[in-house]
Amino acid sequence: MPQEITVTKLISWFSAGAMIFGGVFPFIPQYRDIKRSGNTEGFSTFVCLTLLIANILRIMFWFLPLLAQSYIMVFTMLAMVHLCVVTKRKSEILAQKQRKFSDFDMKYFWKWTDFRSYLEFTALFTAVVGFWTYIFLYNMIYVEIIGFLAVFAEAMLGAPQFYRNFQNKSTQGMSKKMVLMWTFGDVFKTCYFILREAPPQFWICGMLQVSIDISIFIQVFIYRNLSPLANTDQS
């Protein structure tokens, strides 16, 4: 006998689907802005680093349905990084000195000039964390630490963008739609964690993430008259 579909089940399926695919959508406006303008200065690629670390750790933590979301987000962030690397290379008037991950120069960490370096770092980070997870797979303290680091890293998602805006004293080049979608998504995600009775670190870090999103919107208001291009909204 077919299982009855109820409103509660539909809401549950929608929520799970939103958790899996919703994290990708905020980056679509930013991707299009960079593609259209050929300028990456307003977007911090450290946002991508933060999400790569968070989602790789989350994969090790094995928390469903966030596991599926994590795989999708890893590929999305690599696509964002690839776009930024290619765009910066095209915008160069004079060719700059090549910076690679294999140089092991911390001054240029995550500022490499070739996409392969980002792939190498991601693969190395995944291998190292995967090795330690395999060793301590049944150590609950280690598992809880990995879980906390994953959600805390994601909670700091907006911090690199906040710092980039602070450095530039401008939000020009940053997609306001992206941050707005971050905020709605983070509020939804935090409520989802609370309703699903997820471990406390999930909803606590979710609240921190929402606070950072709001802080970025405050920057938009503060810097609107300081930026020479303040009246030009690329989003």
Side-chain angles (χ1 to χ4, degrees), residues 30-48 79-92 96 110-112 118 160-161 164-165 168 171-175 178 234:
Q30 185 67 71
Y31 189 96
R32 294 178 60 189
D33 283 355
I34 293 174
K35 195 81 172 177
R36 182 178 66 247
S37 67
N39 190 331
T40 65
E41 291 303 312
F43 176 70
S44 174
T45 55
F46 281 92
V47 169
C48 301
M80 286 293 298
V81 171
H82 180 265
L83 174 66
C84 290
V85 170
V86 171
T87 302
K88 285 181 180 179
R89 189 180 301 158
K90 288 181 178 179
S91 65
E92 289 178 357
Q96 297 182 359
W110 208 251
K111 298 176 183 178
W112 306 305
Y118 296 91
Q161 188 63 56
R164 171 61 66 89
N165 297 342
N168 294 343
T171 57
Q172 183 68 29
M174 178 197 75
S175 173
M178 176 185 72
Q234 293 187 16

Side-chain angles (χ1 to χ4, degrees), residues 106-125:
M106 289 303 298
K107 182 179 179 181
Y108 294 97
F109 176 75
W110 208 251
K111 298 176 183 178
W112 306 305
T113 55
D114 68 318
F115 179 62
R116 179 177 177 178
S117 292
Y118 296 91
L119 291 177
E120 290 173 348
F121 170 81
T122 303
L124 179 62
F125 180 80

Side-chain angles (χ1 to χ4, degrees), residues 5-231:
I5 298 177
T6 63
V7 174
T8 302
K9 288 181 180 178
L10 287 174
I11 294 175
S12 178
W13 293 342
F14 172 80
S15 299
M19 288 296 295
I20 293 172
F21 298 103
V24 173
F25 290 106
F27 292 94
I28 295 176
Q30 185 67 71
Y31 189 96
R32 294 178 60 189
D33 283 355
I34 293 174
K35 195 81 172 177
R36 182 178 66 247
S37 67
N39 190 331
T40 65
E41 291 303 312
F43 176 70
S44 174
T45 55
F46 281 92
V47 169
C48 301
L49 172 63
T50 302
L51 277 177
L52 280 170
I53 291 175
N55 285 281
I56 291 170
L57 291 175
R58 185 184 288 166
I59 289 171
M60 303 302 171
F61 189 66
W62 204 265
F63 184 79
L64 294 173
L66 301 185
L67 182 63
Q69 181 209 40
S70 295
Y71 283 111
I72 295 171
M73 187 60 72
V74 166
F75 286 110
T76 302
M77 290 303 98
L78 289 175
M80 286 293 298
V81 171
H82 180 265
L83 174 66
C84 290
V85 170
V86 171
T87 302
K88 285 181 180 179
R89 189 180 301 158
K90 288 181 178 179
S91 65
E92 289 178 357
I93 299 176
L94 297 175
Q96 297 182 359
K97 181 179 179 180
Q98 296 295 300
R99 305 291 181 181
K100 298 182 178 180
F101 172 61
S102 56
D103 296 335
F104 298 109
D105 187 346
M106 289 303 298
K107 182 179 179 181
Y108 294 97
F109 176 75
W110 208 251
K111 298 176 183 178
W112 306 305
T113 55
D114 68 318
F115 179 62
R116 179 177 177 178
S117 292
Y118 296 91
L119 291 177
E120 290 173 348
F121 170 81
T122 303
L124 179 62
F125 180 80
T126 303
V128 170
V129 176
F131 172 78
W132 285 108
T133 301
Y134 176 77
I135 296 297
F136 297 105
L137 183 61
Y138 300 104
N139 187 312
M140 291 307 299
I141 295 177
Y142 174 83
V143 172
E144 289 297 326
I145 290 175
I146 287 291
F148 172 76
L149 290 177
V151 293
F152 181 75
E154 186 172 7
M156 300 305 292
L157 161 65
Q161 188 63 56
F162 180 91
Y163 183 65
R164 171 61 66 89
N165 297 342
F166 176 77
Q167 282 185 312
N168 294 343
K169 294 296 185 290
S170 169
T171 57
Q172 183 68 29
M174 178 197 75
S175 173
K176 283 71 173 179
K177 292 178 182 177
M178 176 185 72
V179 181
L180 181 63
M181 293 171 75
W182 277 356
T183 306
F184 282 121
D186 294 338
V187 170
F188 173 82
K189 180 173 61 180
T190 303
C191 293
Y192 178 86
F193 288 149
I194 294 174
L195 294 175
R196 291 294 296 266
E197 298 182 353
Q201 63 263 34
F202 281 84
W203 57 265
I204 291 174
C205 289
M207 293 172 65
L208 173 61
Q209 199 167 351
V210 173
S211 300
I212 296 175
D213 295 340
I214 294 173
S215 298
I216 294 176
F217 274 116
I218 293 174
Q219 285 183 316
V220 173
F221 176 78
I222 293 175
Y223 296 144
R224 71 192 190 285
N225 295 323
L226 297 181
S227 170
L229 299 176
N231 294 325

